[in-house]
């Protein structure tokens, strides 16, 4: 069975795109990955694209888009929505309604980092490291976990606290 996963952020230009591309690369036939934003910027952050290319992730077809594409009549159902905004920084997290499991994997927005190119690249690399650590844990969830929505929610919420340095312990 293929599970459809939507990563949601406000601008859909950095974190949600990093997560979408990484799950597409690693998820095989088990997952279809998408990303969207409540107020999409209309373009992928160039540092996000650079980070993905450096990690060997395919970037074809990635674009900044509205979550409206995933709502309403004719929209394919989504199984899981993951918000990746940083509520700790008082960044508003979009609210997305529907019959799916929701979880929050907040992380700081690398696009908000000010500084030189090296500092910006480092922020994107750190965000991607956290996303990769979380997705490694996500991909190890047993298939039967998906049959129990409550157990799935608990497992997904726990994954949202993993940091990149935790990846060795996943």
């Amino acid at each position: 069975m293929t599970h459809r996963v939507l990563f949601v952020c406000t601008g859909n230009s950095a974190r949600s795109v990093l997560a979408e591309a990484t799950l597409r690369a690693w998820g095989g036939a088990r997952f279809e990955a998408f990303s969207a934003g409540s107020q999409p910027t209309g373009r992928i952050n160039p540092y996000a694209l650079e980070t993905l290319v450096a990690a060997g992730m395919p970037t074809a077809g990635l674009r900044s888009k509205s979550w409206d594409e995933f709502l309403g009549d004719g929209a394919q159902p989504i199984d899981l929505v993951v918000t990746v905004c940083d509520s700790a920084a008082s960044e508003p997290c979009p609210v997305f309604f529907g019959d799916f499991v929701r979880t929050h994997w907040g992380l700081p927005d690398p696009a908000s980092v000010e500084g030189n190119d090296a500092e910006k690249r480092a922020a994107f690399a750190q965000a991607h490291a956290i996303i990769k650590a979380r997705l490694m844990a996500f991909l190890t969830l047993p298939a039967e976990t998906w049959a129990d929505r409550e157990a799935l929610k608990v497992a997904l919420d726990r994954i949202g606290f993993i940091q990149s340095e935790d990846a060795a312990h996943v």
Side-chain angles (χ1 to χ4, degrees), residues 105-130:
W105 293 357
L107 64 151
D109 186 2
S112 69
V113 169
E114 295 182 14
N116 62 36
D117 284 348
E119 292 166 323
K120 291 177 182 180
R121 284 185 181 99
F124 274 86
Q126 178 60 25
H128 196 219
I130 293 168

Side-chain angles (χ1 to χ4, degrees), residues 25-42:
W26 292 355
R30 286 182 56 204
F31 298 98
E32 281 186 83
F34 308 94
S35 68
S38 58
Q39 299 171 357
T41 63

